[in-house]
Amino acid sequence: EANFQSATGGVLVAAGTVAYLGVFTSNFRATAVESWIKMCHTLNIPCSSHPSLISTLGDPIQIRKWNIQGLPTDGFSIENAITMFNSNRWPLLIDPEGQANQWIRNMEKENKLNIMKMSDSNFIRTIENAVQFGSPALLENVGEELDPSLEGLLLKAVFKQGGVTFLRLGDNVIEYSNLFRFYMTTKLRNPHYLPEVAVKVTLVNFMITPAGLQDQLLTVVVAEERPELAAEKERLIVEGAQMDTALKQCENDILHVLSTSEGNILEDPAAINALNNSKKISTDINVKQKVAKTTEKQIDCVREQYVPVAFHGQLLYFCISSLISIEPTYQYALKWFKSLFIFCIRQSEV
């Protein structure tokens, strides 16, 4: 009931976060949201003291699926993903470490993702085919300027003719599929996009955070030191996602039965059977979830022992990554650092 009463302010803050804060760091976002909350209270707008984009717009089942596909598990990264899929404009991701790029590749792999760069001679043709056939497209290594031929695509300037949706892309008019999705990533750490570019895309800052990197390095340490625990943790995550999906399906089946049943539901054998089956499945899953949560807590207790190693690892990375401020040649990739981190673990005597 409390969540329902404060929904107005929560949705207002969530909408502001999606519309304006995607490009900023986690600290700046927190400061802006705090000022918005104070403003809501001043204007007597119902709002909880700690509204969250994840709790307001996030779907736990979808978030877990994203994590399995490679999205970092920290709140900042999850907020970025929610912003991407709740914005009307195509996302342009500031991704110097390449994590968002890899996540998109994993997420859209089954949908035959088209990957291209603006330096490719046929990248416009590739986008045209993706638009027509409803395939996702990823434009990598974007600079501070976008190709003028993408204007119609970025503005989503679609129009209908004869009941068919079309899009003007450059000098060509092509059929537009509503299944089409478009992603852009840049490796620039601090790009400066002119206003005419910024208003056409959703800028999202995917630069890694200390909390996100610590969680990733913790996973690496556990995988090296206790591979059986890491495998069990991964299995529980996948199994949990499957059980959550099954529970959601049970809920949908029950709602479908209740909405389509005519007359007295107690006299409808098909409806009663469907409800009984859903109840049985739901009961079995709840029992399995309790066992899984107990096991996961035990694994997390062991994982906690390796947190100091992960913490010092993320401190080291952010120390060397800040050297770029002294001299541009001091640039170190996260992939290189992780490889060095694993090498040092394997070479250590203890």
Side-chain angles (χ1 to χ4, degrees):
E1 186 179 349
N3 290 337
F4 180 76
Q5 291 175 349
S6 61
T8 303
V11 171
L12 181 62
V13 172
T17 302
V18 171
Y20 301 112
L21 300 184
V23 72
F24 298 108
T25 61
S26 56
N27 291 335
F28 187 91
R29 289 187 195 180
T31 303
V33 168
E34 188 177 343
S35 66
W36 292 348
I37 294 169
K38 290 179 180 178
M39 191 177 297
C40 286
H41 291 159
T42 303
L43 298 175
N44 295 323
I45 298 174
C47 182
S48 68
S49 56
H50 299 287
S52 166
L53 181 66
I54 297 174
S55 60
T56 303
L57 296 179
D59 180 353
I61 298 173
Q62 184 61 58
I63 290 172
R64 183 171 293 208
K65 187 176 180 181
W66 287 337
N67 293 147
I68 293 172
Q69 291 165 339
L71 179 71
T73 56
D74 60 292
F76 182 70
S77 298
I78 294 172
E79 284 186 359
N80 285 338
I82 293 172
T83 299
M84 282 174 54
F85 289 101
N86 284 276
S87 176
N88 290 327
R89 294 170 292 183
W90 299 122
L92 199 169
L93 313 179
I94 301 170
D95 183 36
E97 292 89 13
Q99 295 201 111
N101 188 290
Q102 190 59 48
W103 166 55
I104 291 170
R105 285 172 176 247
N106 294 337
M107 179 176 60
E108 298 288 7
K109 185 177 180 180
E110 295 180 357
N111 300 319
K112 298 179 181 179
L113 176 67
N114 295 275
I115 303 171
M116 72 215 82
K117 300 177 178 64
M118 282 200 291
S119 56
D120 296 343
S121 58
N122 61 339
F123 94 94
I124 289 294
R125 171 58 62 185
T126 304
I127 292 179
E128 287 180 355
N129 290 334
V131 169
Q132 287 179 304
F133 297 109
S135 303
L138 171 61
L139 184 60
E140 298 179 323
N141 296 348
V142 173
E144 292 186 340
E145 295 181 1
L146 298 178
D147 195 299
S149 57
L150 295 175
E151 178 91 5
L153 178 62
L154 297 179
L155 294 175
K156 295 187 179 180
V158 297
F159 60 93
K160 285 196 173 183
Q161 186 174 330
V164 180
T165 305
F166 291 93
L167 171 76
R168 183 176 294 280
L169 187 60
D171 295 330
N172 300 326
V173 175
I174 55 177
E175 191 173 333
Y176 181 84
S177 171
N178 290 325
L179 298 176
F180 171 72
R181 291 180 299 280
F182 187 47
Y183 309 94
M184 293 166 283
T185 61
T186 178
K187 289 187 176 181
L188 299 176
R189 286 186 168 272
N190 189 24
H192 176 68
Y193 290 103
L194 296 175
E196 53 263 32
V197 174
V199 298
K200 297 172 187 173
V201 299
T202 297
L203 286 170
V204 182
N205 186 355
F206 251 99
M207 287 184 66
I208 195 165
T209 62
L213 181 56
Q214 180 173 318
D215 187 72
Q216 292 178 42
L217 294 182
L218 179 59
T219 301
V220 170
V221 175
V222 175
E224 290 296 322
E225 297 291 319
R226 301 289 295 274
E228 73 285 354
L229 281 183
E232 181 66 11
K233 177 79 172 179
E234 184 69 20
R235 186 190 68 79
L236 288 174
I237 291 174
V238 174
E239 191 177 80
Q242 292 171 345
M243 288 191 290
D244 287 342
T245 303
L247 276 177
K248 187 74 173 178
Q249 186 60 46
C250 285
E251 292 176 4
N252 293 337
D253 291 342
I254 291 172
L255 290 174
H256 177 72
V257 168
L258 294 176
S259 62
T260 57
S261 179
E262 298 179 357
N264 189 347
I265 193 172
L266 298 177
E267 298 176 357
D268 188 346
I272 292 173
N273 288 335
L275 292 173
N276 286 334
N277 290 336
S278 296
K279 182 180 179 181
K280 183 180 178 181
I281 293 172
S282 177
T283 302
D284 291 342
I285 288 175
N286 285 327
V287 171
K288 290 179 181 178
Q289 282 184 328
K290 288 180 180 179
V291 175
K293 285 180 180 178
T294 302
T295 307
E296 198 165 0
K297 283 183 180 179
Q298 294 172 350
I299 293 174
D300 288 339
C301 286
V302 178
R303 279 166 57 92
E304 287 294 319
Q305 299 173 10
Y306 298 98
V307 168
V309 180
F311 175 74
H312 283 88
Q314 65 92 359
L315 280 181
L316 283 172
Y317 175 75
F318 282 102
C319 283
I320 64 170
S321 65
S322 62
L323 292 176
I324 192 175
S325 303
I326 301 173
E327 172 59 49
T329 55
Y330 296 140
Q331 297 188 43
Y332 299 94
L334 179 60
K335 186 176 180 181
W336 166 84
F337 181 81
K338 282 186 176 180
S339 298
L340 182 62
F341 187 70
I342 293 171
F343 174 79
C344 292
I345 291 174
R346 291 176 179 175
Q347 294 297 315
S348 63
E349 296 180 359
V350 181

